[in-house]
Amino acid sequence: MSGSDQVSEFYAYVDSHQDHFVKRLSDAVGYRSISSDQTKEGREHVIEMGHWVRDQLAQFVANPKDAELVELGIQDKTDPQINLPPLVLARIGEDLQKKTVLVYGHYDVQPVGGWEEANPENPDAFKLGTTDKEKLIGRGATDDKGPIMGWLNVLEAHKSIADGLGKPLAEILPVNIRFLFEGMEESSSLGLDNWINEEAKKADKGWFKGVDCVCITDVYWMTTRRPSLTYGLRGIAFFSINIEGATNDLHSGSFGRMVHEPMTDMVKLFSALVGTNGVIFKEVEEMVPAPTDDEKAMYGKLDYAVDDLRKDTGKYVELSEVPLDLVMGRMRYPSLSIHGIKGAFDTITAAIPHNISGRFSIRLVGTQTPKDVHAIVDKFLRQEFNKLGSKNKMALVLETEGMPWVGNKDHWNFKAADAAIQAIHKLVPDYARDGGSIPIVLTLEQALDKKNVLLLSMGKSDDGAHSLHEKLDRDNYFKGTKVYGTYLYELAKQATS
């Protein structure tokens, strides 16, 4: 069978097995794999999902040892103690004449509080909603179970072709594949960095032996109408401002205007950090140089409109009506977002909270590092707090951090993905730097001696990952599966020099 005939047979298999592929995604969504749920029952759901993914991959490997679970031990600071979810690894093909691609994804998901009220027609977040002919609705549908199922679909289709030819799957695949799926991505990927770095120290790079490039499928299109390839990400520094006042909560009628109130201090500090126009206090803004004319021209070429943002947000809440400003706000500039205040009351009460923690994050760009930004933010907040004359105590804690990343979009890895997208979607993809943060990108790039890392999306910008309306368009699910498979064939064609 020629290569083109094999690709055509792959496409035909996807077209004729759509109901089966939806059932696979439905099974995956059915696992309540919320990694932030630190109860024993909650963690068991995540672990069960990891075992299920391993069992799925085991159907396609040559030897049982080629699909395995790696235990990462006990999660720190949990009571009762719970185990970290296992890594799921799979190896298909060891042909030295073929390229080897490492595929990364995650099988854990975000919490679902409020889902039932927000989705009266699909009230169970863990039961895939399929009544809408265009959408697959459920937690994890697009982030990141849909993409993982896409890879399983690719393997199944090619296993069918291989069986028909009487050949092993690895023989007919155009490249060797290594799969790395984790179960803690939504909870800072605890344990993963250490495992990757230790494995990469082995003389032959251990499980990463022979890897030529990396493909991460935990990302989305920039808009709803044009696929995109992501070559850059902002970093992140996630902070808590802890303010401690009286020994206990106080009654506002008895103590109001008698004591320094932590909530008043917090609001003042938050308002000093960032303006309603999104601009951060100047010491952070000044870390980033102004854009050049060439940069503006590059961002201006992207297929993005104000209506794209309005479609994603559902409201007219944009900071600017100039698309270039919005694009650079997402990709080029740092941003500061306030996420909430722990210790505040969510019911009608006259109490004054005595001990609160305000959560905010800064998305980092360019040469900004969490360490440098932490020092600048800490100094600024202490100065602002001193201006208040408050007798409360304030402390800043850096909770989570990740470095910004920009990859090489001219690499053959990107050329292969570009060709695959054009073959399936009949559109030239946008090359975008995403506003989100995926620390594993930099970890893998550094551990694997600067091997090229590609972010290849399946879903659209309006999929609502992390939201109460998460979905994946059916068309994107099936075409995304085809893109993944085509990408493998295009990889095999690329010259590496």
Side-chain angles (χ1 to χ4, degrees), residues 439-458:
I440 188 63
V441 173
L442 198 59
T443 299
L444 286 170
E445 184 180 79
Q446 292 175 342
L448 300 181
D449 300 326
K450 303 296 183 180
K451 299 296 184 185
N452 185 266
V453 180
L454 160 78
L455 280 83
L456 179 58
S457 52
M458 173 180 277

Side-chain angles (χ1 to χ4, degrees), residues 51-107:
H51 282 259
W52 181 83
V53 173
R54 189 275 312 273
D55 291 345
Q56 290 286 305
L57 286 166
Q59 305 171 67
F60 309 114
V61 299
N63 301 298
K65 64 180 178 62
D66 289 334
E68 62 176 307
L69 298 174
V70 174
E71 300 297 337
L72 297 177
I74 295 173
Q75 182 173 337
D76 291 339
K77 300 178 182 178
T78 54
D79 184 18
Q81 287 187 332
I82 53 176
N83 289 323
L84 289 166
L87 300 181
V88 182
L89 309 181
R91 177 190 294 110
I92 301 176
E94 297 185 81
D95 188 337
L96 298 179
Q97 303 304 310
K98 295 179 179 179
K99 296 184 184 73
T100 298
V101 57
L102 169 64
V103 173
Y104 164 89
H106 67 90
Y107 59 86

Side-chain angles (χ1 to χ4, degrees), residues 253-265:
S254 300
F255 296 97
R257 203 161 177 169
M258 293 182 69
V259 299
H260 290 281
E261 298 188 18
M263 191 67 73
T264 304
D265 293 348

